Structure formats: structure tokens, C-alpha cells
Amino acid sequence: MEFDIVIHGGQIATADFLFDGDIGIKDGRIAAVAEKLSGGDRRIDAGGRIVMPGGIEAHAHIAQESATGLMTADDYYSGSVSAAFGGNSSFIPFAAQHRGQSIDEVIETYDARGARSVIDYSYHLIVSDPSEEVLTDQLPRAFARGITSFKVFTTYDALVLPDAQMLDILTVARAHGAITMVHSENDGMVKWMNKQLAKGGHVAPRYHAISRPELAEEEAIHRMVQLAKLADAPLFIVHVSTAGGAEIVRREKALGAKLFAETCPQYMALTRDDLDRPGMEGAKYICSPPVRDAATQDALWHHVAMGTFESVSSDHAPYRSDETGKFANGAEVPYPRIANGMPGIAARLPWLFSEGVVKGRITLEQFVALSSTNAAKTFGVERKGRIAPGMDADIAIWNPEATRRLTLGDQHDNMDYSPFEGLELTGVPELVMTRGAVVVQDGALQAAEGQGRFIPRAPVDLRARPGVAVKERDPAQNFGVSFP
Ligand code: DUC
Ligand code: ZN
Ligand code: ZN
């Protein structure tokens, strides 16, 4: 066979095993994987480096207005460029519905924004207004278009949904093979803590973490899992930040729940001491749920290694440390008025490789699963996340030995800080391609704006997730009632 490209002499890393071999690429797809392949219009010498599926970033906020109308610093161009420099060949940011908006209008808006991406992309919807029309008409239309996931919130006035509405939306998702993602923090607990802290004048950035207790996350994760079990629907817990939350996920998965989850580097790399930096510096580290403590970091690493999480995602939520972002409400405002979120789309994989693989906490195969393959499976990205014939040639070549100190400059985003700046990292993604087109090579951007394509996604993969028997749903035990 004639190949357009042959990547030769690499150590191919998949989620299951490692082997030395070559990859032949034709028309943007992997056409052959073998010990040795000759030919190729272009031959790329991997020189013993790691050749793996390009990262799939499954949690990022790009060209997204927050519920209060604040636009992220990154658009689909800068966000996708930054993602690619961090070893990603595709991403799935959020497309947010604001109350009163139709889902069709949201998708139209994000289609225009997404068209600038240099890597392939899809969206998870954010649903804040699940009206009858949204549930019966608009969401099914979005699912049919291949947008098979959406996020809901248990907190924030402009986003929070009551339990009964959660059950409605979980039921619609189940009927269409879609998956509900949830931001889990108990709204009342956070509001009550905010009030107590404000009374005492405790409004500096460091109190952000105190205001959103671990118990608030644990309660909401537990509740959302019970709701999903009652609806017999799949559920994805985003940005798990607590040992208790991770433990609920582990236990419920073992019992059979149709449950998926992620954590993020910031919860293993940072602590509330970062929020206590002098002046307003701590504002850079405000995200929700908040960063915690050293014991939590250890517990989350344990769960990453034990397989509790499908993915480690960045939750890239870029708000600059100025009046366009963190301080849009003023320079010295109380912590609840500081924009929530931190960047990290380019840091995610280099950090996870360095802290995880190089330090022996996870295997290289786990790194591939956590960075790419599992996101592809969970979110129905059928042609990516694997090195195999027929798959898109979405490939990253990593130099596992190169070292560097992380700088703001090498994030290639629109930010004015990185929370990970200064970290010493081992392992650098040197080449990233999407569908056989090189996006980044040796620190230089090779892609043109708009090179990325929208990815229509398949239904969530529920194999090995049997669900949990609920007596009251079972016609044999409930006097014959059927539930949707
Ligand atoms: N949730 C996110 O997923 N990202 C930023 C802030 C938030 O509440
Ligand atoms: Zn969230
Ligand atoms: Zn997020």
C-alpha cells in the first residue's frame, strides 16, 4: 500500500500495551500498524520516542460566556492551539445554554465559534433551562446531530436545577443514548458558608476554599448518583476534588452504577495554601470546586492509579488576572465576586506524564487511557483515541526524557498567568497531528486556523456498566408499573 505518511521507529503506546512499530497513514486515517513499514511520501522518524493517540481534552471552557456573561480569554483558535501544544489532537469544550435560550440557537452560536479550531472538536452542552420543548424536541435534535453529552449544575443561581428536573433530564438522556455530566456541590451549604464568612469579614481569596466544603461536594455527588440510579441513566461526575467524592464514585461503580468520573491536575498539584498567596494573588487559584489539601492530593492520586476515574481533564477555564477576567467586578472584591476557573489545557498532559508516569504513580498505558482512550469511549468519539487501522491519524509523539520548566509562554493560550508556572517537568509532546495533518512540531505551530472539523459523536458506551436494580422500577415488584 502507498502511504502518505509513515511514522517509524517509535514505541507505540496504547491503553492496553506497548510495542515497537511503525504506523502507515493514508487520507488522514491509520491504514496499517506493523513492525516495519516501507514507503510513505513522508517518513517521520520517531527515533524511539513514544507514539500515542493524541490527547482528547474532555473538559474545557472555550469562547464561552459564564452564567454572568463573562467571556473566556480563549477562543477556538487560541484554545485549540494551546491544546495542541499540550499534546491534544481534539477537544470537547462546553456550549452553554443561558436561561431562555433555545438549544438550536446555542449550537448555531458555537458552530460559528468552533469553525476557528486547529484541532477536531465537539461540544458538551450546558443545560440550564430544561423546558418541555428543550426536553422533548431540542435536546433530541442535538443528540441526533452527534452532540451526545451535556452538563447540569447543582449550584449557582443561574444554573442550579432541582432534583425532580434532574430526573427528567436524566430520563431524556437515557432514552437517546446521551450522558449527563454534573457539577456537584450542595448549593445551600455553599450559600450558608458564604453568609457566615461574610458576617465575620472573611472575604479574601483564601476563604473561597472554606466556603465550598468537601461535604458539599460529597453530598451532591451522592445525591446525583442516587438520582441517576433511580432514572437508570448514565452519569459523569466532572472535576471530582475530594477523597470522599472519589470514594463514592469507586463504591457505586463497583455496585454496577452507570457511572463515569474525572478529576483534574489542579486538585493534585495545588492546595488551599495557593489561595493564601499575598494580596489578591490567590485569586488566580480560585476555581470551583476549590483546590483542597495535601491529604486530598494523595487520595486522588490513589484513585487515579486504581482506576476510579476515566479521565484526568484540565477544566481549562481561562479568566485573565485583570479586569477582563478575575477582576471584572473590581480589583479588591470579596472572593464570591471573583471569576471562577483557571487555565491548564496545555499543562494537563505534560503534568500528568511527568508527575504520573515519570514518578511511577501510573503506567504509560494508564496515561494513554486517562488522556485519550477513555474519553473517546465515554463520549462516543468512535474514530479517535486509539492507534489501530481505520482510526483517524490523531497522533502525538512524545520525547519522554526531555525536561523543561513550565512557562506561561509555552502554554500558547491567551492568558496572563499559568497556575503551574515554574514546575519542572519531564516529557514533552514534540509532534501532534490531527487526521494526519501536523498541527505542532518541535515547538512551532504548523496548522491553519479552521483546520479542525466538528466530530459527530456516537451514544455513550455502556458496556460493563449494567446499572443497579431498583425495586420500585421493576414491574415484577411494583404492581406492574413501567417507567420511561
Ligand atoms: N465549573 C467548571 O466546570 N469550570 C469552571 C467553574 C465551574 O464551576
Ligand atoms: Zn463545574
Ligand atoms: Zn469546567
Side-chain angles (χ1 to χ4, degrees):
M1 178 186 279
E2 276 309 304
F3 300 114
D4 301 326
I5 304 172
V6 169
I7 300 173
H8 62 96
Q11 183 193 32
I12 298 175
T14 74
D16 303 311
F17 51 87
L18 314 175
F19 56 100
D20 294 334
D22 297 354
I23 299 173
I25 296 166
K26 180 80 185 159
D27 298 330
R29 299 265 195 96
I30 297 173
V33 181
E35 259 184 291
K36 288 273 173 264
L37 290 172
S38 55
D41 295 342
R42 179 177 176 194
R43 290 184 66 82
I44 297 174
D45 183 1
R49 292 172 172 73
I50 295 165
V51 180
M52 60 177 273
I56 300 175
E57 171 63 72
H59 189 148
H61 303 271
I62 306 291
Q64 185 194 323
E65 294 99 348
S66 71
T68 55
L70 193 62
M71 187 51 127
T72 55
D74 281 312
D75 54 31
Y76 272 78
Y77 180 70
S78 64
S80 63
V81 167
S82 183
F85 274 98
N88 297 287
S89 53
S90 63
F91 66 163
I92 316 176
F94 290 92
Q97 178 203 30
H98 299 292
R99 285 188 178 153
Q101 244 187 334
S102 79
I103 298 294
D104 304 272
E105 188 189 335
V106 173
I107 294 174
E108 204 182 310
T109 301
Y110 281 86
D111 280 345
R113 294 174 181 177
R116 300 186 60 198
S117 182
V118 301
I119 59 175
D120 288 0
Y121 60 96
S122 179
Y123 333 108
H124 312 288
L125 292 163
I126 286 176
V127 177
S128 63
D129 195 354
S131 64
E132 199 54 30
E133 222 189 311
V134 165
L135 293 176
T136 57
D137 192 30
Q138 297 172 13
L139 274 179
R141 201 158 42 241
F143 301 151
R145 226 202 102 173
I147 302 173
T148 51
S149 52
F150 59 88
K151 184 181 178 191
V152 291
F153 288 73
T154 64
T155 187
Y156 299 129
D157 287 345
L159 296 165
V160 61
L161 300 178
D163 292 351
Q165 266 188 339
M166 292 289 190
L167 286 164
D168 284 340
I169 204 164
L170 283 160
T171 302
V172 168
R174 171 185 194 261
H176 293 271
I179 184 163
T180 307
M181 306 162 81
V182 66
H183 176 124
S184 308
E185 288 182 288
N186 179 299
D187 194 49
M189 286 181 172
V190 173
K191 282 201 171 110
W192 187 81
M193 289 296 278
N194 279 338
K195 207 161 128 189
Q196 305 313 311
L197 289 164
K199 270 189 209 161
H202 305 304
V203 295
R206 66 180 177 182
Y207 297 106
H208 172 74
I210 309 304
S211 75
R212 307 181 87 93
E214 295 183 11
L215 288 171
E217 177 173 282
E218 292 162 18
E219 186 284 327
I221 290 178
H222 176 76
R223 177 162 40 101
M224 285 302 303
V225 174
Q226 306 317 310
L227 295 176
K229 281 155 64 177
L230 181 58
D232 189 28
L235 183 69
F236 188 104
I237 313 288
V238 297
H239 51 48
V240 175
S241 69
T242 57
E247 184 52 29
I248 295 167
V249 170
R250 186 199 64 74
R251 190 176 67 234
E252 295 285 356
K253 272 186 174 179
L255 293 172
K258 296 174 178 175
L259 188 57
F260 304 79
E262 67 179 10
T263 187
C264 312
Q266 49 271 38
Y267 301 116
M268 293 177 280
L270 305 171
T271 68
R272 68 175 57 131
D273 290 346
D274 292 295
L275 284 162
D276 193 22
R277 292 187 186 211
M280 293 302 275
E281 189 68 10
K284 293 178 177 171
Y285 302 88
I286 287 185
C287 62
S288 293
V291 294
R292 311 283 181 183
D293 56 17
T296 304
Q297 293 182 336
D298 290 346
L300 291 175
W301 267 121
H302 171 79
H303 281 282
V304 168
M306 295 302 290
T308 301
F309 299 112
E310 272 62 40
S311 303
V312 174
S313 307
S314 73
D315 196 1
H316 183 73
Y319 297 110
R320 292 169 65 96
S321 183
D322 62 22
E323 70 289 348
T324 68
K326 289 283 175 189
F327 303 114
N329 293 317
E332 297 283 331
V333 288
Y335 69 82
R337 307 201 63 216
I338 297 172
N340 233 300
M342 61 175 76
I345 202 164
R348 172 182 77 122
L349 297 186
W351 179 85
L352 185 62
F353 185 88
S354 190
E355 288 296 309
V357 180
V358 175
K359 294 201 174 162
R361 291 173 166 128
I362 56 173
T363 64
L364 182 52
E365 292 93 322
Q366 284 178 299
F367 175 70
V368 175
L370 290 162
S371 63
S372 180
T373 309
N374 289 349
K377 285 187 194 167
T378 308
F379 294 115
V381 183
E382 290 177 303
R383 291 238 192 100
K384 301 184 187 292
R386 298 111 169 151
I387 301 281
M391 291 290 142
D392 283 351
D394 281 30
I395 292 169
I397 301 181
W398 281 70
N399 181 336
E401 281 158 13
T403 57
R404 65 174 171 173
R405 181 185 285 266
L406 190 144
T407 65
L408 174 61
D410 57 34
Q411 303 309 289
H412 299 273
D413 56 13
N414 272 345
M415 287 298 294
D416 57 355
Y417 79 95
S418 164
F420 307 105
E421 200 158 0
L423 289 183
E424 294 285 352
L425 299 180
T426 301
V428 173
E430 291 182 337
L431 183 148
V432 173
M433 61 170 65
T434 301
R435 281 179 290 100
V438 174
V439 180
V440 163
Q441 187 168 13
D442 299 327
L445 182 67
Q446 308 281 342
E449 181 171 326
Q451 193 170 296
R453 283 197 208 143
F454 175 77
I455 312 160
R457 292 182 285 120
V460 52
D461 183 352
L462 287 178
R463 285 173 301 168
R465 298 258 188 334
V468 176
V470 175
K471 287 179 204 163
E472 295 82 356
R473 280 188 75 96
D474 176 7
Q477 301 184 68
N478 70 7
F479 310 110
V481 182
S482 310
F483 287 88

